[in-house]
């Protein structure tokens, strides 16, 4: 990673945006407070807090939230109001209820946050139990999000955690806008990329191309592998987004098919031959299911045969699983470290109670202990967190034609595109009901559909990329109509 | 009951069955089960350590409900050790969990022999005085000790053991042991059977880069007085020479050879770390020597004799573009040499054991083999007594941090609102000052509301006094940092405890499995901006 970053951002950037979250909280307090103040949020021990600090549940956290300091965010206002704001108004979304997610929910619940939601599509497996401490053997097969939420609520009273047992793509984009901050505990580049694109789609720029503070949706992201991990803060428009520094996650190395077929040399080559080539030859049309033990056993025994044929050592069942499922080794301690850093940064970004990480922490415990903070910089041309890809159109271009254009656009290469404008669905690929309802728009000029606004932001979702590397994403487009772009149009 | 192999699958891929067996044999003692201690132990119980003993004499308070996941409302007023222990047991029934309701500080004073029954002691939230006493006890009994402390937004982790030796250090990046700069006769002969100028295009593009490099290196040496490339210019020409052998543009093996050409230029012989280990006086073995040092003594002899300045060959090669046949044969050539080196080592180990009146078979073949395979990567970690560090920290190191720290006290720095780079070192001094403060005033600075201003000025005086005692006359720390420490008021924040506990448990795993390299020095967690530091004091 050497040479790819510069130390140019000042601390201030982060602190200012940190402050902005609280401003939003303050604003919401004056308007929606009466509706939100439910009995659920007032536990008996908290009411006596002021009188005897040592008898308070927030004994330790209070030191940080109620006392002034000099190494804090610029708008930090210590006091019970701040603590109450965290308790009652700040909404935090945790993505993933696995190794990081379990720890995150616990850590956030103990960091003054009481309105948490968690989303995870997976069910509990036996191999989770060495680190995902909220799950027991009897929970195997149950949805992770539901069990994790339940267990934390059982032990930390006053905390409300709403589980979502579904894919992140199943939620409407607006779902994600409901949270003040999103904390990511994921193990895939694709999922991070998707959430990042969603959070960045809320970002608005003013006419000088400066991000509007109130539209910034902060994210805190963690990741681990064995004894190593990272934690980072993403303030879209201010600090680099996930896509700005995508090179930090090099693509997974795949073996060339000719090596597998003709010149296997390692155990992994034999396994991938059985998995990617032999399976299809032997099972016409039946898809391989990595979670089916019989399928895995078949791949293993075929790999053994091939290894024997070529005199290659080292094929084991465990390695077969590792190669086929691309298993990343994981342990409790590293997850604890990275989640704690993420939860702590979440608390600091929201409350301003301390300076924050700027903006990327790496932890490596393989040889001794090495931690490093790197200040990465934004990619000014980033498609995801930048002001948006400029699309110039004739006023006569229909919505259908516009969608076709996106498919061929060299920067976008978007397929299966759905289009929204100012929260209104112009065309939706799914579900079928919505598709049918919006289909008639396809033949209308886009110019008409955006109420003849000469330039504005249009949001699209779809699949980006070519061939089998396609993935879900959300993109912001700056649509400008030719001949109509006059000063009166103002900013985006 | 879940198959343990399945449950532990994700960690077995890191430390293997041997590492897991070591964990399952380990008996661990935890002192104080606040959130730092509880979180440390949680990570170890999940991983399947053999047994745990939780020692804590306190009762659960309401305040604990806000930072410790292992206690709940029903436990308020009751033994903290009991409830934490019960929760931990719930996490993994394979672990033998017990608790002792007693204050660790009293145990240290009254029953020092208590600690010798354990493999490792994790001491959390102890103040300086108790740390020093416990350290002496554990050092005497040769028990591994690890300290963990959370304090506001800062934390400390420190290992203390006389010596910890590692054979399987498993570094992420380590130069392959290919001997391209000095091929042994069999490898040379193998290379001779292959013609780089073959007209068979398929054979040409399936020649492994090891062979290409051995042959090109030989060709180079023949025209350069037997020397290998050493200057930048020469290295570039060497790569050009490789390129000139290509007959088609898409020959991946030649591209790999150019990329791996540095393996030809790498210096012969052993690296400085290993040199330091074989120069250690422990290589003069006697009947008290550990297996590790007997092996190192044998290695030293091997290097000086049949090794010709090199360690036993590791015996494995990385994957590379090649025909299957050539690759397998090449692999066998390396394995055969490794096997021969191993036999020489085995002989030397046996002789050494005889010499020190031990059973010549008392170090198993498997252990000798593993040692040979890892010979270049072995590590020795030694830790100062905590007392020595506290009384006489390595002066140059301390000065290094404090000189920068002085910058932090400048008005200019304050007005710029930047943190001095060595905040963590400042926090270390402050933590020690806080303990001294507590010894004097029977409370931690800022522990109680309403006494902040007084405490800040008292802590400042304490810091100046401490720095004087450490030989840093006239030094102080920034007002901001001193105030920050008072603000913390000895709080144990859950997220900080989880971080510190995570670090401590990761180190415990490395110490028990004897794999990977544990940290050296004193780790100071800086939760302000995460610029944590390892202080080598």
């Amino acid at each position: 990673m050497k040479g790819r970053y510069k130390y140019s951002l000042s601390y201030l950037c982060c602190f200012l945006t940190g402050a902005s979250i609280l401003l939003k909280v303050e604003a919401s307090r004056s308007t929606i407070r009466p509706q939100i103040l439910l009995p659920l949020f007032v536990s008996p021990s908290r009411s006596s807090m002021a009188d005897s600090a040592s008898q308070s549940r927030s004994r330790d956290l209070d030191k940080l939230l109620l006392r002034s300091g000099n190494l804090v965010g610029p708008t930090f206002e210590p006091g019970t109001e701040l603590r109450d704001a965290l308790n009652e108004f700040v909404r935090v979304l945790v993505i993933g209820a696995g190794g990081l997610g379990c720890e995150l929910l616990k850590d956030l619940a103990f960091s003054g946050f009481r309105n948490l939601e968690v989303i995870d599509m997976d069910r509990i497996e036996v191999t989770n139990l060495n680190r995902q401490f909220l799950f027991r053997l009897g929970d195997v097969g149950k949805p992770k999000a539901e069990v994790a939420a339940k267990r934390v609520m059982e032990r930390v009273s006053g905390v409300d955690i709403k589980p979502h047992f579904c894919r992140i793509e199943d939620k409407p984009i607006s779902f994600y806008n409901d949270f003040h901050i999103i904390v990511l505990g994921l193990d895939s580049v694709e999922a991070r990329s998707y959430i990042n694109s969603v959070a960045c789609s809320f970002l608005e720029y003013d006419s000088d191309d400066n991000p509007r503070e109130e539209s910034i949706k902060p994210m805190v992201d963690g990741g681990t592998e064995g004894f190593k991990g990272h934690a980072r803060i993403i303030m879209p428009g201010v600090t680099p987004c996930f896509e700005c520094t995508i090179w930090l996650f090099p693509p997974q190395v795949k073996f060339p098919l000719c090596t597998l077929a003709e010149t296997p040399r390692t155990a992994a080559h034999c396994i991938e031959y059985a998995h990617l080539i032999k399976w299809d030859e032997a099972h016409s049309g039946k898809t391989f299911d990595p979670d089916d033990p019989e399928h895995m056993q078949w791949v293993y025994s075929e790999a053994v045969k091939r290894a024997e044929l070529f005199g290659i050592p080292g094929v084991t069942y465990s390695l077969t699983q590792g190669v086929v499922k691309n298993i990343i080794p994981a342990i409790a301690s590293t997850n604890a470290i990275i989640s704690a850093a993420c939860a702590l940064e979440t608390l600091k970004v929201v409350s301003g109670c301390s300076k924050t990480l700027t903006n990327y922490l790496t932890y490596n415990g393989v040889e001794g202990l090495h931690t490093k903070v790197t200040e990465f910089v934004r990619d000014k041309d980033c498609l995801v967190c930048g002001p948006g890809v400029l699309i110039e159109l004739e006023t006569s271009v229909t919505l259908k034609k516009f969608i076709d254009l996106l498919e061929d656009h060299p920067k976008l290469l978007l397929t299966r595109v759905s289009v929204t404008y100012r929260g209104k669905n112009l065309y939706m690929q799914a579900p079928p009901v919505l598709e049918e309802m919006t289909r008639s728009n396809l033949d209308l000029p886009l110019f008409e559909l955006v109420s003849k606004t000469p330039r504005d932001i249009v949001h699209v979702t779809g699949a980006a990329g070519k061939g089998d590397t396609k993935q879900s994403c959300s993109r912001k487009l700056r649509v400008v109509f030719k001949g109509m772009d006059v000063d009166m149009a103002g900013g985006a | 009951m879940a198959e343990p192999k399945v449950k532990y699958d994700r960690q077995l891929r890191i430390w293997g069955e041997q590492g897991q067996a070591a964990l399952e044999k380990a008996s661990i003692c935890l002192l104080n089960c606040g959130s730092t201690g509880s979180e440390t132990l949680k990570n170890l119980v999940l991983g399947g350590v053999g047994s745990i003993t939780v020692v804590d004499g306190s009762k659960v308070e309401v305040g604990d409900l806000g930072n410790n996941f292992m206690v709940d409302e029903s436990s308020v007023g009751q033994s903290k050790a009991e409830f934490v222990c019960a929760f931990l047991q719930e996490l993994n029934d394979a672990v033998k969990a017990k608790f002792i309701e007693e204050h660790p500080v009293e145990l240290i004073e009254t029953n020092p022999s208590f600690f010798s029954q354990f493999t490792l002691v994790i001491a959390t939230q102890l103040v300086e005085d108790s740390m020093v006493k416990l350290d002496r006890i554990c050092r005497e009994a040769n028990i591994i000790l690890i300290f963990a402390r959370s304090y506001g937004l800062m934390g400390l982790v420190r290992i203390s053991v006389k010596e910890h030796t590692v054979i399987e250090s498993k570094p992420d990046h380590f130069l392959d042991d290919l001997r391209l700069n000095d091929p042994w006769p069999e490898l040379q002969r193998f290379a001779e059977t292959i013609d780089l100028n073959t007209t068979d295009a398929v054979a040409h593009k399936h020649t492994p880069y090891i062979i290409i490099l051995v042959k090109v290196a030989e060709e180079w040496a023949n025209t350069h007085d037997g020397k290998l490339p050493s200057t930048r210019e020469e290295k570039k020409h060497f790569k050009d020479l490789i390129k000139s052998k290509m007959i088609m543009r898409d020959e991946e093996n030649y591209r790999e050879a150019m990329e791996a050409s540095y393996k030809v230029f790498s210096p012969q012989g052993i690296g400085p770390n290993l040199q330091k280990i074989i120069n250690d006086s422990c290589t003069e073995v006697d009947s008290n020597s550990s297996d590790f040092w007997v092996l190192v003594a044998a290695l030293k002899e091997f290097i000086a004799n049949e090794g010709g300045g090199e360690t036993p060959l590791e015996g494995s090669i990385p994957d590379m573009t090649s025909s299957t046949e050539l690759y397998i044969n090449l692999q066998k050539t390396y394995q055969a040499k490794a096997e021969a080196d191993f036999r020489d080592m085995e002989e030397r180990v046996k002789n050494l054991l005889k010499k020190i009146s031990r059973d010549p078979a008392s170090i198993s073949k498997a252990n000798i083999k593993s040692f040979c395979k890892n010979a270049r990567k072995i590590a020795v970690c030694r830790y100062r007594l905590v007392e020595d560090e506290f009384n006489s920290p390595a002066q140059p190191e301390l000065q290094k941090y404090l000189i920068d720290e002085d910058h932090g006290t400048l008005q200019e720095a304050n007005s710029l609102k930047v943190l001095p780079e060595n905040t963590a070192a400042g926090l270390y001094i402050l933590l020690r000052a806080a303990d001294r403060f507590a010894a004097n005033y029977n409370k931690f600075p800022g522990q109680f509301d309403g006494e902040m201003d007084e405490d800040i000025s008292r802590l400042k005086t304490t810091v100046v006094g401490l720095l004087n005692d450490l030989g840093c006359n006239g030094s102080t720390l920034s007002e901001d940092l001193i105030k920050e420490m008072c603000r913390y008021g000895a709080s144990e924040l859950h997220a900080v405890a989880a971080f510190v506990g995570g670090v401590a448990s990761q180190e415990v795993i490395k110490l028990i499995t004897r794999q990977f390299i544990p940290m050296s020095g004193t780790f100071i967690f800086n939760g302000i901006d995460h610029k944590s530091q390892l202080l080598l004091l």
Side-chain angles (χ1 to χ4, degrees):
Chain A
M1 52 175 87
K2 266 180 196 151
R4 303 291 293 266
Y5 52 84
K6 285 187 203 131
Y7 293 86
S8 71
L9 271 185
S10 77
Y11 285 110
L12 280 173
C13 293
C14 259
F15 303 151
L16 286 175
T17 48
S20 79
I21 297 183
L22 259 198
L23 291 180
K24 274 190 282 181
V25 173
E26 296 286 329
S28 62
R29 201 156 28 176
S30 57
T31 51
I32 43 174
R33 182 166 200 173
Q35 289 148 287
I36 291 194
L37 202 67
L38 301 170
L40 177 68
F41 298 108
V42 186
S43 65
S45 62
R46 282 199 323 128
S47 53
S48 61
M49 187 159 343
D51 339 310
S52 64
S54 63
Q55 279 305 304
S56 159
R57 194 179 276 271
S58 57
R59 173 190 70 195
D60 297 84
L61 198 56
D62 279 355
K63 302 275 196 305
L64 212 57
L65 296 179
L66 306 190
R67 293 175 168 187
S68 66
N70 296 340
L71 305 173
V72 297
T75 60
F76 174 54
E77 278 188 44
T80 50
E81 292 223 328
L82 172 65
R83 186 183 63 203
D84 295 346
L86 288 190
N87 282 193
E88 288 158 25
F89 300 100
V90 179
R91 297 168 46 76
V92 184
L93 175 65
V94 175
I95 315 237
L100 291 166
C102 285
E103 286 282 332
L104 282 168
L105 289 172
K106 163 183 70 79
D107 295 348
L108 291 166
F110 280 136
S111 300
F113 298 104
R114 295 182 167 209
N115 301 302
L116 300 167
E117 300 197 15
V118 59
I119 178 166
D120 196 309
M121 61 181 279
D122 286 337
R123 291 176 184 275
I124 297 161
E125 294 177 27
V126 175
T127 56
N128 301 146
L129 301 179
N130 80 321
R131 62 197 186 283
Q132 299 176 17
F133 75 102
L134 296 173
F135 309 143
R136 309 282 174 268
L137 195 54
D139 299 322
V140 169
K142 294 180 192 162
K144 286 185 177 184
E146 288 169 13
V147 177
K150 184 174 134 255
R151 288 275 145 75
V152 174
M153 284 194 291
E154 275 167 10
R155 293 200 78 88
V156 189
S157 66
V159 173
D160 185 52
I161 306 176
K162 189 174 172 190
H164 302 272
F165 172 46
C166 63
R167 299 169 59 86
I168 48 178
E169 294 92 341
D170 292 344
K171 291 285 174 193
I173 303 289
S174 58
F175 166 81
Y176 294 97
N177 207 8
D178 252 10
F179 299 93
H180 294 100
I181 188 161
I182 301 175
V183 190
L184 287 71
L186 291 162
D187 60 1
S188 101
V189 174
E190 291 75 21
R192 280 196 186 88
S193 204
Y194 177 75
I195 295 295
N196 180 68
S197 73
V198 169
C200 290
S201 73
F202 304 131
L203 182 66
E204 291 167 15
Y205 283 84
D206 63 19
S207 51
D208 298 325
D209 273 358
N210 293 316
R212 287 185 205 275
E213 276 192 16
E214 66 280 9
S215 72
I216 294 172
K217 182 74 61 195
M219 285 171 280
V220 180
D221 171 55
T224 73
E225 177 175 353
F227 285 98
K228 294 178 286 187
H230 80 265
R232 73 192 294 187
I233 296 180
I234 299 177
M235 295 278 182
V238 183
T239 69
C241 81
F242 183 69
E243 221 64 40
C244 290
T245 53
I246 191 78
W247 48 268
L248 286 166
F249 295 81
Q252 203 196 321
V253 185
K254 283 186 181 160
F255 304 121
L257 280 180
C258 59
T259 295
L260 303 186
E262 289 157 25
T263 57
R265 301 175 294 272
T266 66
H269 292 157
C270 299
I271 294 163
E272 281 297 62
Y273 172 80
H275 167 220
L276 298 172
I277 297 172
K278 196 75 202 263
W279 176 273
D280 285 340
E281 283 176 14
H283 304 78
S284 55
K286 188 154 115 194
T287 31
F288 174 78
D289 175 7
D291 292 324
D292 185 330
E294 276 180 33
H295 289 195
M296 194 61 81
Q297 188 62 45
W298 187 90
V299 167
Y300 166 62
S301 49
E302 286 301 315
V304 168
K305 281 186 214 160
R306 187 158 177 86
E308 278 168 4
L309 182 67
F310 286 94
I312 297 168
V315 174
T316 62
Y317 188 73
S318 169
L319 182 70
T320 306
Q321 284 182 307
V323 169
V324 171
K325 295 170 112 172
N326 186 29
I327 292 173
I328 300 165
I331 54 175
S333 55
T334 317
N335 283 326
I337 294 166
I338 295 304
S339 303
C342 290
L344 193 56
E345 291 315 297
T346 305
L347 171 64
K348 296 195 290 182
V349 165
V350 173
S351 70
C353 72
S354 170
K355 304 203 167 203
T356 58
L357 163 72
T358 46
N359 45 40
Y360 198 107
L361 168 72
T362 46
Y363 187 96
N364 188 340
V366 176
E367 286 174 78
L369 196 174
H370 301 275
T371 66
K372 186 172 175 359
V373 173
T374 308
E375 189 166 345
F376 288 112
V377 293
R378 290 182 64 206
D379 171 3
K380 293 290 173 215
D381 298 323
C382 181
L383 278 182
V384 179
C385 70
V389 178
L390 187 68
I391 309 267
E392 284 189 282
L393 296 174
E394 301 290 345
T395 52
S396 59
V397 170
T398 62
L399 181 58
K400 172 88 176 62
K401 179 96 171 89
F402 173 68
I403 288 172
D404 292 344
L405 276 171
L406 302 181
E407 193 161 343
D408 299 327
H409 193 289
K411 276 189 178 173
L412 297 169
L413 299 167
L414 280 177
T415 50
R416 286 193 56 79
V417 171
S418 298
V419 185
T420 58
Y421 173 67
R422 295 192 175 272
K424 197 175 82 186
N425 296 328
L426 298 188
Y427 180 70
M428 299 303 282
Q429 295 275 356
V433 189
L434 267 182
E435 197 280 332
E436 208 182 312
M437 277 168 63
T438 52
R439 197 186 299 155
S440 58
N441 283 342
L442 286 173
D443 295 326
L444 298 176
L446 183 62
F447 191 53
E448 304 286 332
L449 289 167
V450 301
S451 317
K452 302 196 177 178
T453 314
R455 58 182 304 164
D456 211 338
I457 298 288
V458 170
H459 287 101
V460 297
T461 55
K466 284 184 199 165
D468 51 355
T469 60
K470 274 186 197 302
Q471 65 178 70
S472 307
C473 70
S474 164
R475 295 277 183 265
K476 187 166 53 184
L477 309 177
R478 287 200 285 185
V479 176
V480 175
F481 292 97
K482 286 179 189 164
M484 306 300 290
D485 186 24
V486 281
D487 271 5
M488 61 162 223
Chain B
M1 184 62 217
E3 177 81 32
K5 255 188 161 173
V6 180
K7 182 162 88 175
Y8 297 135
D9 179 83
R10 297 304 185 265
Q11 65 196 46
L12 287 170
R13 290 171 191 278
I14 301 178
W15 50 70
E17 313 242 340
Q18 268 196 319
Q20 188 63 33
L23 282 178
E24 288 171 15
K25 256 197 294 190
S27 129
I28 292 176
C29 173
L30 171 72
L31 301 185
N32 288 324
C33 60
S35 50
T36 308
S38 301
E39 291 296 316
T40 309
L41 215 44
K42 177 201 76 191
N43 301 328
L44 297 169
V45 167
L46 287 167
V49 293
S51 71
I52 57 162
T53 303
V54 180
V55 182
D56 195 318
S58 62
K59 307 285 184 202
V60 178
E61 294 174 23
V62 175
D64 298 331
L65 304 181
N67 77 3
N68 195 338
F69 198 78
M70 285 150 229
V71 295
D72 62 13
E73 264 145 9
S74 71
S75 56
V76 173
Q78 305 192 56
S79 163
K80 201 191 281 182
E82 181 181 355
F83 273 82
V84 168
C85 184
F87 183 87
L88 290 169
Q89 182 69 81
E90 209 185 289
L91 293 179
N92 193 343
D93 55 14
V95 176
K96 288 191 212 72
K98 66 172 185 174
F99 70 94
I100 295 175
E101 195 180 351
E102 199 166 334
H103 291 290
V105 176
E106 284 163 21
L107 204 55
I108 292 168
E109 295 290 343
T110 59
N111 190 3
S113 63
F114 169 80
F115 300 98
S116 36
Q117 61 184 300
F118 302 104
T119 316
L120 183 147
V121 175
I122 303 166
T124 67
Q125 305 301 80
L126 285 189
V127 294
E128 195 162 314
D129 178 48
S130 301
M131 283 173 76
V132 166
K133 283 178 186 155
L134 177 64
D135 190 38
R136 270 195 232 127
I137 295 167
C138 289
R139 188 62 66 101
E140 186 80 14
N142 204 19
I143 303 296
I144 310 171
L145 176 60
I146 182 161
F147 296 102
R149 182 124 181 238
S150 309
Y151 195 108
L153 286 176
M154 73 144 324
L156 172 148
V157 180
R158 163 76 146 82
I159 294 170
S160 185
V161 63
K162 187 163 173 250
E163 181 181 276
H164 175 78
T165 56
V166 188
I167 296 172
E168 291 178 84
S169 64
K170 299 186 172 178
D172 268 341
H173 304 286
F174 211 86
L175 193 64
D176 300 307
D177 194 11
L178 300 182
R179 308 285 163 93
L180 299 178
N181 48 14
D182 185 20
W184 68 97
E186 289 80 4
L187 179 60
Q188 247 165 350
R189 242 171 278 145
F190 185 76
E192 276 160 21
T193 62
I194 292 154
D195 179 12
L196 289 192
N197 300 318
T198 175
T199 51
D200 179 346
V202 174
H204 195 266
K205 70 186 235 185
H206 285 97
T207 307
Y209 79 68
I210 287 182
I211 300 297
I212 298 173
L213 289 176
V214 167
K215 294 186 84 95
V216 176
E218 195 188 356
E219 183 181 328
W220 176 279
N222 287 341
T223 55
H224 292 81
D225 303 328
K227 292 199 183 81
L228 289 174
S230 61
T231 66
R232 238 179 117 147
E233 192 74 354
E234 284 176 335
K235 289 175 184 174
K236 198 187 160 294
H237 286 153
F238 184 80
K239 281 193 199 180
D240 292 340
L241 184 59
I242 300 170
K243 202 172 184 176
S244 71
K245 309 278 176 195
M246 289 170 87
I247 55 173
M248 274 183 305
R249 288 189 63 196
D250 66 337
E251 290 184 302
E252 191 67 16
N253 54 336
Y254 280 84
R255 212 182 48 75
E256 288 172 1
M258 288 197 289
E259 266 173 25
S261 61
Y262 70 93
K263 294 177 185 174
V264 176
F265 319 141
S266 66
Q268 295 183 8
I270 61 174
N273 287 339
L274 184 55
Q275 188 67 57
K276 207 174 147 206
I277 294 172
I278 64 170
N279 287 347
D280 197 288
S281 60
C282 289
T283 52
E284 287 156 31
V285 290
D286 57 34
S287 56
N288 294 320
S289 297
S290 66
D291 287 1
F292 177 85
W293 285 110
V294 173
L295 288 162
V296 175
L299 175 67
K300 187 177 185 172
E301 290 180 7
F302 178 94
I303 293 169
N305 295 288
E306 61 272 31
E310 300 281 357
T311 59
L313 186 74
E314 199 173 301
S316 56
I317 56 174
D319 185 31
M320 62 193 71
T321 299
S322 167
S323 66
T324 302
E325 194 194 351
L326 276 183
Y327 184 82
I328 301 285
N329 288 338
L330 199 54
Q331 211 170 31
K332 283 181 181 157
T333 307
Y334 274 82
Q335 277 163 357
K337 161 79 170 153
E339 183 65 26
D341 286 355
F342 155 70
R343 279 195 301 269
D344 288 338
M345 270 288 283
E346 192 187 18
E347 205 47 45
R348 293 198 172 275
V349 171
K350 278 185 179 160
N351 288 336
L352 274 170
L353 286 170
K354 258 185 251 166
K355 215 165 87 185
I356 59 172
S357 318
R358 277 183 58 185
D359 174 6
S362 61
I363 300 181
S364 72
K365 265 184 200 281
N367 285 352
I368 301 173
K369 208 159 221 170
S370 164
F371 184 84
C372 288
K373 205 168 164 48
N374 293 289
R376 296 179 309 145
K377 307 166 191 171
I378 57 171
V380 175
C381 308
R382 290 178 179 136
Y383 299 88
R384 284 188 89 184
L385 270 171
V386 167
E387 188 173 18
D388 292 346
E389 173 190 324
F390 283 170
N391 290 341
S392 54
Q395 272 300 322
E397 281 294 316
L398 193 61
Q399 292 291 353
K400 189 174 87 190
Y401 302 125
L402 290 173
I403 287 161
D404 283 23
E405 200 62 59
D406 282 346
H407 278 284
T409 67
L410 296 177
Q411 307 291 307
E412 164 198 71
N414 284 343
S415 66
L416 281 172
K417 288 280 177 212
V418 288
L419 279 172
E421 279 303 305
N422 289 325
T423 297
L427 290 169
Y428 168 80
I429 299 291
L430 279 165
L431 184 63
R432 297 196 50 196
D435 282 354
R436 193 177 271 205
F437 185 111
N440 287 338
Y441 303 105
N442 211 23
K443 62 161 190 177
F444 286 99
Q447 189 172 356
F448 303 106
D449 292 331
E451 297 166 22
M452 283 293 275
D453 290 342
E454 195 187 13
D455 284 2
I456 290 171
S457 80
R458 280 174 169 174
L459 181 60
K460 199 172 167 182
T461 313
T462 312
V463 165
V464 171
L466 174 66
L467 284 169
N468 265 330
D469 293 351
L470 297 178
C472 306
N473 301 38
S475 298
T476 186
L477 300 175
S478 81
E479 292 272 352
D480 286 350
L481 215 52
I482 292 171
K483 185 178 175 189
E484 184 76 357
M485 200 65 180
C486 285
R487 179 187 174 216
Y488 296 159
S491 54
E492 196 174 356
L493 299 164
H494 182 82
V496 173
F499 192 103
V500 169
V503 173
S505 53
Q506 204 178 84
E507 296 305 318
V508 168
I509 284 168
K510 290 191 276 181
L511 289 163
I512 294 178
T513 59
R514 295 193 162 271
Q515 294 180 23
F516 305 95
I517 301 179
M519 65 180 204
S520 47
T522 301
F523 176 71
I524 298 298
F525 171 60
N526 166 0
I528 303 169
D529 61 1
H530 285 280
K531 289 179 181 161
S532 301
Q533 281 178 311
L534 260 178
L535 309 178
L536 299 171
L537 299 171

